[in-house]
């Protein structure tokens, strides 16, 4: 078992490089699901996301579909099991986050447009437009000179985009949500809106602009979140995902430096010490999820935990 995991960890980056690692979908018989959508979607073809076992590409939600008109993807359908408390919470949080973000005018990033949201027989359904381009998980795996340039541009644009989001609203305290999430911590500011789960799989780049997807974790920040939390989270995840895909360490550190320098220029001048203190909080949060048995099947949490241990951020 352990051996198989080790082999997979070493071979996957290679395999992914050759097997064009864009997200894969396959046709699916899903008449009942299509019929439960409003009639304007009835003529579309539905394909289900293939589960490839590549944690970084997949996120947590298994039931992602693409709705196509001929060969053109026109919508992404995300379904949630409303019988599960965490998925039900995600449904309402994502709905509210979409409403808020769509009512604002951001210049340096986009979000998908929410076309439909509804619940039918305990299945929550969100239909959104596809993000433009490919996720940073894809760009991390494109080792051609053009791909590496695009990765640099993507990281730069992501820094500017986060800076715009963070500085768009100002609060004098963090929302109680964060005080509960990180008990006994002082949570230094500044406070603003944050994405809350900003990692390479949730950022798309089309060569020019950034699109943030997976907005449910933005919701609690509507009452104020420490912006350094987002910066620390992205830095950690960039290192972890890049390490997983075999991007040389030197190149990763250049990307991290570029990210932080650009963010500080466009957003807040957060100190290294502040960012590091939030990295430690995140490391503890992941460790406690695992201790409670949450995410023990979640390869992303397990891998990021392993990365944090090797970086001295977690103890076990
Ligand atoms: N609007 C979208 N455009 C393109 N791909 C999407 C979109 N929404 C979801 N996906 C794909 O599905 C995956 C999982 O969706 P996401 O909203 O991130 O849910 P999770 O909470 O499981 O991370 C994403 O990593 C992405 O590959
Ligand atoms: Mg996601």
């Amino acid at each position: 078992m352990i051996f198989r995991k080790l082999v997979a960890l070493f071979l996957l980056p290679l395999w992914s490089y050759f097997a064009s690692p864009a997200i894969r979908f396959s046709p699916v018989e899903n008449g009942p699901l299509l019929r439960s959508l409003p009639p304007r979607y009835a003529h579309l073809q539905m394909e289900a996301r293939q589960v490839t076992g590549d944690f970084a590409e997949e996120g947590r939600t298994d039931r992602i579909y693409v709705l196509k008109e001929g060969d053109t993807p026109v919508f992404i359908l995300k379904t949630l099991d409303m019988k599960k408390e965490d998925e039900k919470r995600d449904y309402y949080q994502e709905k509210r986050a979409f409403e808020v973000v769509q009512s604002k005018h951001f210049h340096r990033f986009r979000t998908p447009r929410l076309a439909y949201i509804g619940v039918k027989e305990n299945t929550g359904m969100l239909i959104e437009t596809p993000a433009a381009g490919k996720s940073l998980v894809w760009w991390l795996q494109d080792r051609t000179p053009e791909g590496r340039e695009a990765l640099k541009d993507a990281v730069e644009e992501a820094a500017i985009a986060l800076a715009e989001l963070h500085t768009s609203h100002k609060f004098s305290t963090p929302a109680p949500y964060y005080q509960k999430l990180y008990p006994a911590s002082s949570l230094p500011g500044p406070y603003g809106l944050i994405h809350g789960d900003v990692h390479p799989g949730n950022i798309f780049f089309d060569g020019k602009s950034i699109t943030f997807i997976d907005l449910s974790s933005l919701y609690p920040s509507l009452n104020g979140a420490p912006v350094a939390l987002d910066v620390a989270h992205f830095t950690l995840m960039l290192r972890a995902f890049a390490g997983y895909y075999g991007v040389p360490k030197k190149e990763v550190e250049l990307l991290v430096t570029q990210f932080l320098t650009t963010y500080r220029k466009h957003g807040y001048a957060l100190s290294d010490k502040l960012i590091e203190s939030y990295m430690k909080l995140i490391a503890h949060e992941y460790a406690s999820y695992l201790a409670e048995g949450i995410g023990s099947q979640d390869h992303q949490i397990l891998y990021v935990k392993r990365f944090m241990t090797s970086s001295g951020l977690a103890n076990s």
Side-chain angles (χ1 to χ4, degrees):
M1 186 68 181
I2 287 176
F3 176 70
R4 228 176 60 204
K5 271 195 183 151
L6 276 177
V7 170
L9 202 66
F10 283 112
L11 289 186
L12 203 81
L14 260 184
W15 173 83
S16 309
Y17 181 79
F18 291 110
S20 163
I23 194 157
R24 285 167 281 272
F25 289 90
S26 56
V28 63
E29 270 303 316
N30 216 321
L33 192 52
L34 257 186
R35 279 196 296 278
S36 65
L37 297 173
R40 64 179 182 277
Y41 299 108
H43 69 289
L44 300 173
Q45 296 85 51
M46 186 175 211
E47 293 182 5
R49 184 175 57 170
Q50 270 181 34
V51 175
T52 60
D54 183 350
F55 80 86
E57 194 179 310
E58 270 162 8
R60 214 159 29 82
T61 317
D62 286 338
R63 292 167 311 279
I64 297 275
Y65 304 89
V66 62
L67 300 178
K68 286 184 161 178
E69 194 145 32
D71 284 337
T72 314
V74 280
F75 294 111
I76 300 285
L77 166 65
K78 190 168 161 177
T79 66
L80 294 151
D81 182 351
M82 302 296 275
K83 292 195 294 296
K84 293 187 182 148
E85 273 314 307
D86 58 334
E87 295 198 24
K88 189 169 150 187
R89 188 200 57 216
D90 276 1
Y91 173 88
Y92 288 107
Q93 294 197 350
E94 193 142 1
K95 178 173 191 260
R96 186 76 192 108
F98 262 116
E99 284 165 5
V100 170
V101 171
Q102 286 178 3
S103 69
K104 316 247 170 251
H105 293 284
F106 293 108
H107 302 284
R108 301 306 294 253
F109 67 90
R110 292 183 259 174
T111 56
R113 182 176 61 81
L114 184 64
Y116 168 79
I117 182 159
V119 183
K120 201 122 191 203
E121 285 157 14
N122 284 320
T123 301
M125 291 171 289
L126 282 100
I127 297 184
E128 54 188 86
T129 50
K134 307 245 162 55
S135 87
L136 261 65
V137 166
W138 195 89
W139 292 112
L140 279 171
Q141 296 171 75
D142 184 346
R143 302 276 78 213
T144 62
E146 300 76 31
R148 288 164 64 177
E149 264 319 295
L151 178 62
K152 274 182 16 199
D153 291 349
V155 167
E156 178 102 8
E157 284 302 314
I160 300 174
L162 283 181
E164 184 183 23
L165 177 68
H166 293 173
T167 54
S168 66
H169 291 65
K170 293 182 171 62
F171 301 86
S172 51
T173 51
Y177 170 87
Y178 298 96
Q179 295 164 10
K180 270 190 223 126
L181 188 60
Y182 303 112
S185 130
S186 69
L187 299 177
Y191 312 105
L193 293 190
I194 65 169
H195 179 285
D197 187 21
V198 62
H199 66 67
N202 283 341
I203 305 176
F204 278 64
F205 183 63
D206 65 356
K208 269 175 112 170
S209 356
I210 289 290
T211 303
F212 289 129
I213 66 159
D214 202 0
L215 301 177
S216 60
S217 52
L218 187 146
Y219 171 81
S221 85
L222 295 172
N223 292 315
V227 297
L229 191 57
D230 244 10
V231 172
H233 194 263
F234 181 68
T235 308
L236 264 180
M237 300 301 149
L238 180 61
R239 285 189 173 127
F241 281 53
Y244 178 80
Y245 287 115
V247 179
K249 222 176 163 152
K250 230 170 124 185
E251 194 182 328
V252 180
E253 288 318 303
L254 280 175
L255 286 171
V256 167
T257 306
Q258 182 197 0
F259 171 74
L260 293 175
T261 310
T262 307
Y263 176 85
R264 286 169 174 143
K265 204 162 110 201
H266 293 261
Y268 293 107
L270 308 176
S271 71
D272 284 341
K273 208 168 139 229
L274 180 71
I275 296 169
E276 201 151 299
S277 72
Y278 276 99
M279 280 187 192
K280 290 200 174 118
L281 279 190
I282 296 165
H284 281 120
E285 183 192 342
Y286 272 71
S288 65
Y289 286 158
L290 289 176
E292 288 166 32
I294 302 169
S296 57
Q297 300 300 314
D298 186 325
H299 295 282
Q300 186 169 322
I301 291 186
L302 288 175
Y303 182 75
V304 172
K305 171 79 189 313
R306 190 178 317 159
F307 159 78
M308 289 191 301
T309 308
S310 67
S311 321
L313 282 163
N315 303 321
S316 52

